[in-house]
Amino acid sequence: MMIRLKVTGDTVVKATTEVGYLHRAFEKLLEKRNWMQCFPVLCRFCVPEPDPVEEAFALAVESIEGREVPERAKYIRVLVLELARMASYMLWYGGQSGSLGLYTVGQWSVGDRNYILDLFEELTGGRVYHMYIWPGGVRRDMPEGFGEKVLKTMDYIEKRLDDYDDLMFENAIFKRRTKGVGIIDKEKAVEWGVVGPPLRGCGIKSDIRIDDPYEVYDKLDFDVPTAEGGDIWARALVRRQEVRQSIRIVRQVLDKMPSGSVYNKVPNPQKWRLPEGDAYSRIESVRGEIGFYVASDGGLYPRRAHMRGAAYVHAVTLLERILPGENISDVSSILNSLGACPPEIER
Amino acid sequence: MKELKIKLTGQIKSHFSEIEEKDYEGNRLDFTVRKETVSSVLVFLKDTLGFKHLSHISCVDWIEENVFELIFIIWSPTDKLRVFIRTRIDRDNPVMDNMDMIWPQMNTYERELREMYGIVFEGLDAPDEFLLEDWDGPPPMRRDFDTEAYAQDTFFERPGREDAQDVRETLTKRTGEDLPDFAKKYSR
């Protein structure tokens, strides 16, 4: 992805997003994979946070087939999704502050992210790509003592968040460079398709986990943080609070985790035909709505699997609208605050 | 939820008599309309019934029936309902109206569908290239586009690329040495 800027002095006059440099024909590939073979492709849609993509696809497949998922698997899925959210926010800390020259935050947060990746490695066998959530449940149960390790990591990260606050949110440069920059018009936000933290940064309380709950989010107690202003600062405040909410969710999940099976076995994947039909499932990722439209013609492969990423709207139509008038040095910071993720556009 | 769905369905049907409805569980409504009616239905849903958020636009190539099916998925933040609006267009003459004045982000979806399926959106004002670069082949997401044949023609078997066939055989030819036994097992 590339943004072509037309400038007068240091001020952006016109911005045009040009995409395609990362296009790998994922959706075409999915049409030639059976329903289980899709998963090694799916996680590659988004490197920092692959689990919501797996979850969205699995939910769509389960919805077409009417397949039930065991209760324990639902809790484990929420645990994985929230850990992925935190890991992704740790990268965001680095990207957002790094775009303003504050590199230390990123060095700390990416270091701390590794503790979450350690947990993923133990649970799923992979640090970055997991292929852990799949139709019918999750691939395997939590290893013994895993819950305690997660809680220990949560305690550590919660303590570190105060350090990030001192280093990033109390920093005069960060405040000056983010307040009043990259403003999204609250009146237009929903209509323009803004989702996730950028929408909540406009003061609009919207979260798919609450509005259109999936898995067991309706049984958990958590807040949806919002902030006023619609600028980078507001979006950063929202994300800062969301990490704390994720920690809260993870603790509840481990507390309420039922016992039982984690996987309702699907038929032999080589012969597994889904009934005719289609479904659209959506998930709240760190960037906002991730959705999957999946259509089945009753065959071994998806007839169509089409992903909707938040960046598809944020980094094209929205970015082109809010960049004019901004200073050229703020462009990368605005881009980061919108969660622009090229693989979501160039699928 | 059920009463709300019945009420909204009634309102939509009273305005668009030819609309076909399909019943689904949960918070999903599903309607099929003629392609000429799509824009009016979308405007009605957005401005009158509060379906403000455009979630997704997708296309399925039903090559056996010679049609493209376009699916517009819209969400109501107030009623927490999801609506599917479907329409079918002729695959040989795939023409739709440009609708990016309803939601500006439709422009991006239309550009993608134009490039990947060859659907013409009349009145669409956007640069020609979106995902593909210097592409003069058929629209690649159509079902009759043979990915494997394209890859074979483009990336393999062309002059100068013979080495790409089997590294072991190539090395054997170059060095004149026989392959070790364990490697023979895997050699083509």
Side-chain angles (χ1 to χ4, degrees), chain A residues 190 212 280 282 289, chain B residues 12 27-31 38-47 49-57 71-77 80-86 102-103 105-106:
Chain A
V190 174
D212 192 8
Y280 178 74
R282 49 195 218 132
E289 177 178 349
Chain B
I12 295 166
N27 60 353
R28 170 174 172 181
L29 292 165
D30 199 303
F31 300 104
V38 173
S39 53
S40 344
V41 174
L42 293 180
V43 169
F44 178 72
L45 285 168
K46 184 188 167 204
D47 294 344
L49 299 183
F51 286 82
K52 297 275 182 208
H53 174 65
L54 173 73
S55 262
H56 199 35
I57 303 174
I71 301 106
F72 302 81
I73 303 165
I74 311 156
W75 171 255
S76 165
K80 318 288 183 213
L81 274 177
R82 187 186 306 164
V83 177
F84 283 53
I85 301 293
R86 305 162 183 279
I102 307 175
W103 282 283
Q105 63 271 29
M106 281 180 110

Side-chain angles (χ1 to χ4, degrees), chain A residues 19-34:
Chain A
V19 299
Y21 297 98
L22 207 59
H23 181 56
R24 290 159 291 175
F26 280 157
E27 285 171 1
K28 189 77 180 173
L29 279 176
L30 292 179
E31 292 179 9
K32 305 276 182 194
R33 300 284 181 279
N34 72 38

Side-chain angles (χ1 to χ4, degrees), chain A residues 18 27 40 55 85 90 119 166 216 231 243 283 287 310 342:
Chain A
E18 295 197 5
E27 285 171 1
E55 167 78 1
R85 188 185 310 279
M90 295 287 153
L119 294 175
D166 289 343
V216 289
D231 52 6
V243 185
I283 304 296
R287 293 169 302 285

Side-chain angles (χ1 to χ4, degrees), chain A residues 247-306:
Chain A
I247 295 175
R248 198 173 151 195
I249 293 172
V250 166
R251 284 180 179 145
Q252 285 178 59
V253 164
L254 289 170
D255 189 39
K256 294 181 176 177
M257 181 82 70
S259 57
S261 148
V262 296
Y263 179 42
N264 280 344
K265 201 171 182 304
V266 300
N268 176 358
Q270 302 294 337
K271 296 175 182 168
W272 185 24
R273 290 175 187 275
L274 243 59
E276 273 182 45
D278 64 354
Y280 178 74
S281 57
R282 49 195 218 132
I283 304 296
E284 186 72 30
S285 77
V286 292
R287 293 169 302 285
E289 177 178 349
I290 277 190
F292 240 107
Y293 173 78
V294 180
S296 165
D297 54 7
L300 291 167
Y301 312 112
R303 182 69 182 216
R304 178 79 166 109
H306 192 180

